[in-house]
Amino acid sequence: MTTVLHTADDLRARARTGRRAVVMTMGALHDGHAELIRTARSIAGADGEVVTTVFVNPLQFGAGEDLDRYPRTLDSDVKIAEQAGADVVFAPSVDEVYPGGEPQVRVTAGPMGERLEGASRPGHFDGMLTVVAKLLHLTAADVALFGQKDAQQLALIRRMVRDLNFPVEIVGVPTVRESDGLALSSRNRYLSPEERRTALALSQALFAGRDRHAAQEALRARAHESPSTRARADALGALGEARAAADAHALAKASPVGPEAVRAAARQVIDEAARATPPLRLDYLALVDPADFTEVEHGHIGEAVLAVAARVGTTRLIDNIPLTFGAPV
């Protein structure tokens, strides 16, 4: 049975044998959180311990954001955590995490924290990193798991742990989606049926960009494998196979990169959703390097993240997918 604890002293008092795997949440748990907890359970093993934290962190909400209406559902959160394999739910009060009020000293996210989500929500990542740092200390985690849906958050946590020498392993867990493709989020419950239909454009835009990327990479692979030189194209043309000749020449010239085409495919879906009822209001659509979240340029080779944020009605949603440009063939 899952134990619910509210103080760090009670958590420290627990006997420990194996690894402690920690999943940090703000509550309102759904199957995305459950997948994090299940993964933590497999990492901790039978001898380890899985701790799920439930804490709505006021530092990462800006003026006019949904701190007051953010759902608090501790009883159902405990049930979901228990079913997924958590040993402990650590649900501290604000006073437990921030004794004496808001902290004078905080973790600063740096330049990466000022881009995309950071530009839209000033101070958000400073507040997020500050509470993650505190919870890593309070829980004495050996490993901490975070969802890849919050890709910029995950990248910043990894950077903080590396730059500040935290003795903890950070594990990213793939995004969990509903059957229609919408990424699971605690904020999905705010959407009306009409708003939800519009919100599907976020994942559909990402999938359109992914499909364009896959087509480009397939073309590049064909060019790599095909002996399609200019001489071969000329020979095919001499045989009257003009279309085959043109295709062979195109394959020979195929480029391994195409960020512009990926952005354009995703943007087309977003533009259509902006004309829907209710409309989607785009915050950003970006194709970025996961190392620093700067936009990738033409000729980029390696990992990238296609990320989107938008509002439907009063609800703000984010989503992303990873891509690899110029993978070995």
Side-chain angles (χ1 to χ4, degrees):
M1 184 173 179
T2 298
T3 300
V4 180
L5 300 176
H6 298 283
T7 70
D9 287 342
D10 288 340
L11 185 58
R12 293 190 193 98
R14 286 180 63 87
R16 293 180 60 173
T17 53
R19 302 179 81 195
R20 176 175 283 174
V22 174
V23 174
M24 298 183 191
T25 82
M26 292 205 300
L29 301 193
H30 49 64
D31 198 52
H33 297 111
E35 180 61 20
L36 287 167
I37 297 168
R38 288 190 288 266
T39 304
R41 180 78 275 160
S42 67
I43 290 173
D47 295 332
E49 183 177 58
V50 174
V51 175
T52 300
T53 71
V54 175
F55 179 68
V56 181
N57 176 36
L59 294 193
Q60 64 194 71
F61 287 81
E65 293 189 340
D66 57 351
L67 173 61
D68 291 337
R69 71 167 182 154
Y70 197 88
R72 274 81 165 173
T73 56
L74 183 59
D75 290 343
S76 62
D77 292 343
V78 173
K79 292 177 182 177
I80 292 172
E82 184 171 26
Q83 291 169 357
D87 299 296
V88 175
V89 168
F90 178 52
S93 66
V94 173
D95 288 340
E96 178 71 14
V97 177
Y98 301 121
E102 292 191 3
Q104 295 290 311
V105 177
R106 307 187 187 195
V107 178
T108 300
M112 195 197 313
E114 298 171 356
R115 300 171 186 136
L116 299 188
E117 283 297 289
S120 297
R121 305 176 66 188
H124 166 72
F125 284 126
D126 291 357
M128 179 277 295
L129 289 177
T130 298
V131 79
V132 168
K134 289 181 72 71
L135 288 173
L136 287 175
H137 290 311
L138 292 174
T139 61
D142 296 303
V143 55
L145 297 89
F146 298 89
Q148 292 178 359
K149 185 177 80 72
D150 298 296
Q152 193 172 3
Q153 169 181 285
L154 175 59
L156 282 164
I157 291 169
R158 283 178 164 152
R159 189 61 186 251
M160 177 184 73
V161 165
R162 181 170 68 250
D163 287 355
L164 302 184
N165 303 103
F166 280 66
V168 62
E169 177 187 358
I170 302 299
V171 174
V173 178
T175 300
V176 177
R177 298 183 180 278
E178 301 195 34
S179 59
D180 57 9
L182 188 68
L184 287 177
S185 169
S186 301
R187 291 185 169 93
N188 289 353
R189 67 185 67 196
Y190 300 153
L191 298 169
S192 70
E194 296 77 16
E195 289 171 341
R196 183 186 169 83
R197 283 195 292 271
T198 296
L200 290 175
L202 273 77
S203 56
Q204 290 168 350
L206 298 180
F207 298 159
R210 178 195 62 191
D211 291 346
R212 180 66 60 85
H213 170 265
Q216 291 183 141
E217 289 295 310
L219 183 64
R220 185 179 67 88
R222 287 172 59 200
H224 180 82
E225 295 169 0
S226 172
S228 52
T229 62
R230 180 68 197 187
R232 175 172 169 78
D234 291 342
L236 289 170
L239 292 173
E241 301 178 22
R243 185 170 182 176
D247 183 58
H249 186 56
L251 286 173
K253 295 295 185 180
S255 170
V257 296
E260 298 86 353
V262 171
R263 291 188 183 97
R267 185 65 192 233
Q268 183 176 357
V269 177
I270 294 296
D271 288 346
E272 291 175 0
R275 298 188 290 271
T277 304
L280 182 142
R281 302 194 306 278
L282 182 67
D283 190 341
Y284 61 77
L285 175 68
L287 184 61
V288 298
D289 187 328
D292 57 11
F293 274 71
T294 57
E295 290 278 356
V296 301
E297 299 179 352
H298 180 79
H300 177 77
I301 299 294
E303 301 299 316
V305 173
L306 181 60
V308 62
R311 290 185 182 274
V312 183
T314 60
T315 304
R316 186 176 185 275
L317 300 171
I318 64 172
D319 200 353
N320 73 85
I321 55 172
L323 300 173
T324 302
F325 287 85
V329 295

